[in-house]
Amino acid sequence: DQQVKQNSPSLSVQEGRISILNCDYTNSMFDYFLWYKKYPAEGPTFLISISSIKDKNEDGRFTVFLNKSAKHLSLHIVPSQPGDSAVYFCAASPSGSARQLTFGSGTQLTVLP
Amino acid sequence: DGGITQSPKYLFRKEGQNVTLSCEQNLNHDAMYWYRQDPGQGLRLIYYSQIVNDFQKGDIAEGYSVSREKKESFPLTVTSAQKNPTAFYLCASSIEFSTEAFFGQGTRLTVV
Protein backbone atom coordinates (compact mmCIF):
# COMPACT_ATOMS: atom_id res chain seq x y z
CA ASP A 1 0.00 0.00 0.00
CA GLN A 2 1.65 3.20 -1.19
CA GLN A 3 1.41 5.90 1.44
CA VAL A 4 2.84 8.55 -0.89
CA LYS A 5 1.50 8.62 -4.42
CA GLN A 6 2.55 10.54 -7.49
CA ASN A 7 -0.14 9.61 -9.98
CA SER A 8 1.42 11.26 -13.01
CA PRO A 9 4.49 9.36 -14.21
CA SER A 10 5.32 12.12 -16.69
CA LEU A 11 4.61 15.76 -17.47
CA SER A 12 5.63 17.93 -20.43
CA VAL A 13 5.63 21.71 -20.24
CA GLN A 14 6.73 24.48 -22.55
CA GLU A 15 9.72 26.56 -21.48
CA GLY A 16 8.62 29.67 -19.57
CA ARG A 17 5.30 28.19 -18.48
CA ILE A 18 4.37 26.84 -15.07
CA SER A 19 5.06 23.22 -14.10
CA ILE A 20 2.81 21.73 -11.44
CA LEU A 21 3.76 18.38 -9.93
CA ASN A 22 1.32 16.71 -7.59
CA CYS A 23 1.63 14.33 -4.68
CA ASP A 24 -1.00 12.69 -2.44
CA TYR A 25 -0.47 10.93 0.86
CA THR A 26 -2.59 8.75 3.07
CA ASN A 27 -0.79 8.72 6.41
CA SER A 28 -2.11 11.51 8.62
CA MET A 29 0.97 11.16 10.83
CA PHE A 30 3.21 12.66 8.15
CA ASP A 31 4.23 16.14 9.22
CA TYR A 32 7.22 16.95 7.07
CA PHE A 33 7.33 16.85 3.28
CA LEU A 34 10.17 17.17 0.82
CA TRP A 35 10.77 17.28 -2.91
CA TYR A 36 13.86 15.75 -4.48
CA LYS A 37 15.07 16.16 -8.04
CA LYS A 38 16.94 13.43 -9.89
CA TYR A 39 18.87 13.61 -13.14
CA PRO A 40 19.68 10.40 -15.06
CA ALA A 41 22.58 8.39 -13.62
CA GLU A 42 22.74 10.65 -10.55
CA GLY A 43 21.37 10.42 -7.03
CA PRO A 44 18.41 12.57 -5.96
CA THR A 45 19.17 16.03 -4.63
CA PHE A 46 17.09 17.91 -2.12
CA LEU A 47 15.00 20.69 -3.64
CA ILE A 48 12.53 22.13 -1.14
CA SER A 49 10.59 21.12 1.96
CA ILE A 50 7.59 22.12 4.03
CA SER A 51 6.40 21.28 7.51
CA SER A 52 2.78 20.66 8.37
CA ILE A 53 2.48 23.93 10.27
CA LYS A 54 2.76 25.81 6.98
CA ASP A 55 0.73 25.71 3.79
CA LYS A 56 3.30 27.28 1.48
CA ASN A 57 7.05 27.50 1.17
CA GLU A 58 8.85 29.37 -1.56
CA ASP A 59 12.44 29.25 -2.79
CA GLY A 60 13.14 31.19 -5.94
CA ARG A 61 11.29 29.62 -8.84
CA PHE A 62 10.09 26.71 -6.67
CA THR A 63 7.02 26.81 -4.43
CA VAL A 64 5.53 23.92 -2.50
CA PHE A 65 1.90 24.04 -1.38
CA LEU A 66 0.45 21.79 1.31
CA ASN A 67 -3.27 21.09 1.71
CA LYS A 68 -3.52 19.02 4.89
CA SER A 69 -7.26 18.45 4.75
CA ALA A 70 -6.91 16.97 1.27
CA LYS A 71 -3.61 15.25 2.10
CA HIS A 72 -2.16 16.78 -1.01
CA LEU A 73 0.94 18.71 -1.87
CA SER A 74 2.16 20.24 -5.06
CA LEU A 75 5.37 21.68 -6.43
CA HIS A 76 5.14 24.70 -8.71
CA ILE A 77 8.04 25.72 -10.93
CA VAL A 78 7.74 29.15 -12.49
CA PRO A 79 9.06 29.82 -15.05
CA SER A 80 10.06 26.35 -16.18
CA GLN A 81 13.46 25.96 -17.82
CA PRO A 82 14.91 23.09 -19.92
CA GLY A 83 17.40 22.41 -17.11
CA ASP A 84 14.46 21.55 -14.86
CA SER A 85 13.87 18.39 -16.91
CA ALA A 86 14.36 15.58 -14.37
CA VAL A 87 12.47 13.11 -12.23
CA TYR A 88 10.88 14.72 -9.18
CA PHE A 89 10.23 12.64 -6.07
CA CYS A 90 7.87 13.63 -3.31
CA ALA A 91 8.75 12.31 0.16
CA ALA A 92 7.11 12.47 3.59
CA SER A 93 8.13 11.75 7.16
CA PRO A 94 6.16 11.51 10.43
CA SER A 95 9.04 12.32 12.65
CA GLY A 96 11.37 14.87 11.14
CA SER A 97 13.89 12.07 10.61
CA ALA A 98 15.29 10.85 7.30
CA ARG A 99 15.11 7.22 8.46
CA GLN A 100 11.32 7.41 8.22
CA LEU A 101 11.09 9.01 4.82
CA THR A 102 8.52 7.47 2.47
CA PHE A 103 9.02 8.28 -1.20
CA GLY A 104 6.59 8.52 -4.09
CA SER A 105 7.32 6.83 -7.40
CA GLY A 106 8.40 10.03 -9.12
CA THR A 107 7.24 12.22 -12.00
CA GLN A 108 9.40 12.75 -15.08
CA LEU A 109 9.22 16.43 -16.00
CA THR A 110 10.24 17.42 -19.51
CA VAL A 111 10.52 21.13 -20.29
CA LEU A 112 10.38 21.73 -24.00
CA PRO A 113 12.43 24.61 -25.48
CA ASP B 1 34.53 18.44 -1.95
CA GLY B 2 32.18 16.85 0.57
CA GLY B 3 29.83 14.19 -0.62
CA ILE B 4 28.86 10.57 -0.91
CA THR B 5 30.66 8.20 -3.23
CA GLN B 6 29.18 4.94 -4.40
CA SER B 7 31.11 2.37 -6.36
CA PRO B 8 30.95 0.80 -8.78
CA LYS B 9 28.45 2.65 -10.94
CA TYR B 10 27.46 -0.50 -12.83
CA LEU B 11 27.77 -4.04 -11.53
CA PHE B 12 26.96 -7.39 -13.05
CA ARG B 13 26.54 -10.48 -10.94
CA LYS B 14 25.93 -14.09 -11.72
CA GLU B 15 23.00 -15.74 -10.05
CA GLY B 16 23.96 -17.30 -6.74
CA GLN B 17 26.85 -14.94 -6.02
CA ASN B 18 27.09 -12.42 -3.24
CA VAL B 19 28.17 -8.91 -4.17
CA THR B 20 29.14 -5.88 -2.08
CA LEU B 21 28.30 -2.29 -2.98
CA SER B 22 30.50 0.42 -1.54
CA CYS B 23 29.33 3.68 0.03
CA GLU B 24 31.67 6.28 1.53
CA GLN B 25 30.84 9.77 2.84
CA ASN B 26 33.00 12.62 4.06
CA LEU B 27 30.16 14.81 5.29
CA ASN B 28 30.69 13.75 8.91
CA HIS B 29 27.11 12.50 9.02
CA ASP B 30 26.15 10.04 11.73
CA ALA B 31 23.25 8.45 9.85
CA MET B 32 23.56 6.43 6.64
CA TYR B 33 20.96 4.62 4.54
CA TRP B 34 20.57 2.19 1.69
CA TYR B 35 17.63 2.42 -0.68
CA ARG B 36 16.51 0.39 -3.63
CA GLN B 37 14.72 1.86 -6.63
CA ASP B 38 12.72 -0.24 -9.10
CA PRO B 39 10.96 1.08 -12.22
CA GLY B 40 7.69 2.81 -11.39
CA GLN B 41 8.30 2.66 -7.66
CA GLY B 42 9.58 5.02 -5.06
CA LEU B 43 12.78 4.51 -3.12
CA ARG B 44 12.44 1.75 -0.54
CA LEU B 45 14.60 1.59 2.56
CA ILE B 46 16.77 -1.52 2.92
CA TYR B 47 18.90 -0.73 5.98
CA TYR B 48 19.91 2.29 7.97
CA SER B 49 22.54 3.08 10.56
CA GLN B 50 22.35 5.89 13.10
CA ILE B 51 25.78 5.32 14.58
CA VAL B 52 28.94 3.24 14.15
CA ASN B 53 28.52 -0.47 14.94
CA ASP B 54 24.75 -0.19 14.92
CA PHE B 55 22.24 -0.67 12.11
CA GLN B 56 18.56 -1.44 11.70
CA LYS B 57 16.47 -3.19 9.09
CA GLY B 58 14.35 -1.09 6.82
CA ASP B 59 11.25 -2.14 4.90
CA ILE B 60 12.93 -4.64 2.55
CA ALA B 61 15.99 -6.02 4.38
CA GLU B 62 15.58 -9.68 3.41
CA GLY B 63 18.49 -10.94 1.32
CA TYR B 64 20.74 -8.01 2.25
CA SER B 65 23.37 -7.39 4.92
CA VAL B 66 25.34 -4.33 6.01
CA SER B 67 28.15 -3.31 8.32
CA ARG B 68 29.12 0.02 9.90
CA GLU B 69 32.65 -0.32 11.21
CA LYS B 70 33.57 3.27 10.40
CA LYS B 71 31.51 6.46 10.41
CA GLU B 72 32.45 7.13 6.79
CA SER B 73 31.57 3.73 5.34
CA PHE B 74 28.37 1.71 5.03
CA PRO B 75 28.79 -1.18 2.56
CA LEU B 76 25.80 -3.22 1.41
CA THR B 77 26.06 -6.91 0.54
CA VAL B 78 23.44 -8.34 -1.77
CA THR B 79 23.35 -12.02 -0.95
CA SER B 80 22.22 -14.98 -3.02
CA ALA B 81 19.13 -15.07 -0.82
CA GLN B 82 17.81 -11.89 -2.45
CA LYS B 83 15.33 -13.24 -4.99
CA ASN B 84 15.17 -10.23 -7.28
CA PRO B 85 18.41 -8.26 -6.89
CA THR B 86 18.43 -6.42 -10.22
CA ALA B 87 17.77 -2.78 -9.30
CA PHE B 88 19.25 0.67 -8.81
CA TYR B 89 20.77 1.05 -5.34
CA LEU B 90 21.17 4.40 -3.64
CA CYS B 91 23.17 5.22 -0.54
CA ALA B 92 22.39 8.32 1.50
CA SER B 93 23.45 10.07 4.67
CA SER B 94 22.06 12.71 6.97
CA ILE B 95 22.76 14.47 10.22
CA GLU B 96 20.83 13.01 13.09
CA PHE B 97 17.22 14.15 13.43
CA SER B 98 17.13 15.74 9.98
CA THR B 99 14.78 14.80 7.18
CA GLU B 100 17.17 16.02 4.50
CA ALA B 101 19.18 13.10 3.13
CA PHE B 102 22.16 13.49 0.80
CA PHE B 103 22.43 10.83 -1.88
CA GLY B 104 25.23 9.18 -3.78
CA GLN B 105 25.06 8.65 -7.54
CA GLY B 106 23.83 5.09 -7.23
CA THR B 107 24.90 1.63 -8.35
CA ARG B 108 22.97 -0.23 -10.99
CA LEU B 109 23.14 -3.95 -10.25
CA THR B 110 22.21 -6.46 -12.92
CA VAL B 111 22.01 -10.19 -12.32
CA VAL B 112 22.95 -12.19 -15.38
Side-chain angles (χ1 to χ4, degrees):
Chain A
D1 180 34
Q2 279 189 292
Q3 297 186 63
V4 177
K5 294 181 183 179
Q6 294 177 255
N7 291 317
S8 298
S10 63
L11 173 68
S12 291
V13 171
Q14 209 67 38
E15 182 179 4
R17 305 294 291 269
I18 184 171
S19 295
I20 300 177
L21 294 93
N22 294 304
C23 178
D24 297 296
Y25 63 95
T26 57
N27 189 340
S28 56
M29 299 300 288
F30 288 146
D31 63 3
Y32 205 83
F33 305 87
L34 303 89
W35 285 93
Y36 281 85
K37 176 179 179 179
K38 182 182 179 304
Y39 291 116
E42 293 185 12
T45 54
F46 170 75
L47 187 58
I48 193 169
S49 63
I50 188 168
S51 73
S52 59
I53 62 172
K54 292 185 173 183
D55 53 19
K56 176 183 174 182
N57 188 26
E58 195 171 348
D59 183 2
R61 296 186 296 113
F62 302 91
T63 303
V64 56
F65 295 91
L66 177 62
N67 182 333
K68 290 185 288 294
S69 60
K71 294 191 177 67
H72 177 83
L73 67 156
S74 60
L75 174 68
H76 293 211
I77 307 173
V78 184
S80 301
Q81 300 173 353
D84 296 330
S85 297
V87 176
Y88 290 79
F89 289 98
C90 166
S93 172
S95 66
S97 171
R99 76 176 184 272
Q100 291 186 290
L101 279 172
T102 299
F103 286 83
S105 54
T107 296
Q108 170 71 58
L109 173 66
T110 302
V111 180
L112 305 167
Chain B
D1 270 274
I4 301 179
T5 302
Q6 288 186 244
S7 60
K9 196 166 184 178
Y10 298 96
L11 188 57
F12 295 88
R13 183 196 100 175
K14 288 185 179 178
E15 244 180 275
Q17 287 181 339
N18 292 357
V19 63
T20 297
L21 283 60
S22 169
C23 178
E24 304 278 332
Q25 56 101 356
N26 60 3
L27 298 168
N28 200 32
H29 288 168
D30 285 310
M32 295 187 74
Y33 315 85
W34 274 104
Y35 290 91
R36 169 180 171 140
Q37 186 189 7
D38 294 285
Q41 297 196 38
L43 282 63
R44 292 183 291 165
L45 184 65
I46 304 172
Y47 267 99
Y48 67 93
S49 168
Q50 297 287 97
I51 197 169
V52 173
N53 292 323
D54 184 55
F55 47 83
Q56 305 295 328
K57 292 181 179 180
D59 300 320
I60 54 165
E62 187 175 347
Y64 300 98
S65 66
V66 293
S67 62
R68 187 88 187 275
E69 296 176 3
K70 299 186 300 181
K71 187 175 185 177
E72 302 78 20
S73 179
F74 191 39
L76 173 75
T77 297
V78 184
T79 76
S80 55
Q82 169 48 237
K83 298 303 178 193
N84 188 18
T86 295
F88 187 57
Y89 291 88
L90 284 160
C91 179
S93 69
S94 73
I95 61 172
E96 202 174 359
F97 306 122
S98 168
T99 48
E100 185 181 340
F102 293 79
F103 286 84
Q105 291 195 329
T107 294
R108 184 164 297 282
L109 172 64
T110 304
V111 173
V112 296

